[in-house]
Amino acid sequence: NAGVTQTPKFQVLKTGQSMTLQCAQDMNHNSMYWYRQDPGMGLRLIYYSASEGTTDKGEVPNGYNVSRLNKREFSLRLESAAPSQTSVYFCASSSIRSNQPQHFGDGTRLSIL
Amino acid sequence: RKEVEQDPGPFNVPEGATVAFNCTYSNSASQSFFWYRQDCRKEPKLLMSVYSSGNEDGRFTAQLNRASQYISLLIRDSKLSDSATYLCVVNIIGGGSYIPTFGRGTSLIVHP
């Protein structure tokens, strides 16, 4: 019963390094999302993919790129990491129907020095 | 103005108390509504959906008021294990798809 799986769970980077956060879901959901959560800021949407083959910017897309590799997988890339991107990153998925809730992965804790 | 607003709290209540949280949203085209629970440094987990007629799940009751654009969560007979952050989520139509928008969360601390 995997649900939404994120890798890695923890990562420390140096400023300027790049990395890709991976997310996969096994619930046959159409929509997938990437959020970041910072203290006192709540969850903020970075990018989302309403269906396979489409991606759209959310509230805070700058400094990030995404790829919807197939229906199951949605990756988030930091091309040149900055300390301001230190955060907890959550991936989520949901059915395309509006009354369906999201299911979350257990997060990636990313620190950029 | 943030699209989904919540009182951040913390709400500090004794065991057995009844506590209510409110959440307001600004987009009248909002389609669906949820309450999530988030424990410290963990992922958000669905607590309950919120239906127009109101709905109850054990000690938890959710209400929706579309005219005034707010939703509420009532917790009766609070338990120590209810201590968490409660997130209000509103699905808003944007660009032809539904975009979940989160409030910043309300912190609840239940003490003995």
Side-chain angles (χ1 to χ4, degrees), chain B residues 24-44:
Chain B
T24 59
Y25 59 95
S26 59
N27 191 324
S28 60
S30 299
Q31 293 294 305
S32 50
F33 309 87
F34 308 94
W35 283 102
Y36 280 72
R37 171 194 169 123
Q38 186 174 28
D39 293 289
C40 186
R41 300 181 66 79
K42 298 286 186 69
E43 76 275 19

Side-chain angles (χ1 to χ4, degrees), chain A residues 10 33 35 37 40-43 45 48 50 59 90 96-107 109, chain B residues 2 31-32 34 36 38 41-46 49 87 89 91 94-95 97-105:
Chain A
F10 302 93
Y33 312 83
Y35 294 90
Q37 188 173 34
M41 296 298 294
L43 281 153
L45 184 64
Y48 67 100
E59 183 183 353
F90 289 105
I96 201 166
R97 293 166 58 91
S98 70
N99 62 349
Q100 298 304 306
Q102 294 174 301
H103 298 259
F104 283 82
D106 53 12
R109 283 146 185 83
Chain B
K2 195 160 169 56
Q31 293 294 305
S32 50
F34 308 94
Y36 280 72
Q38 186 174 28
R41 300 181 66 79
K42 298 286 186 69
E43 76 275 19
K45 293 184 178 178
L46 178 69
S49 302
L87 302 169
V89 183
N91 277 8
S97 57
Y98 298 101
I99 303 171
T101 302
F102 283 75
R104 295 186 181 185

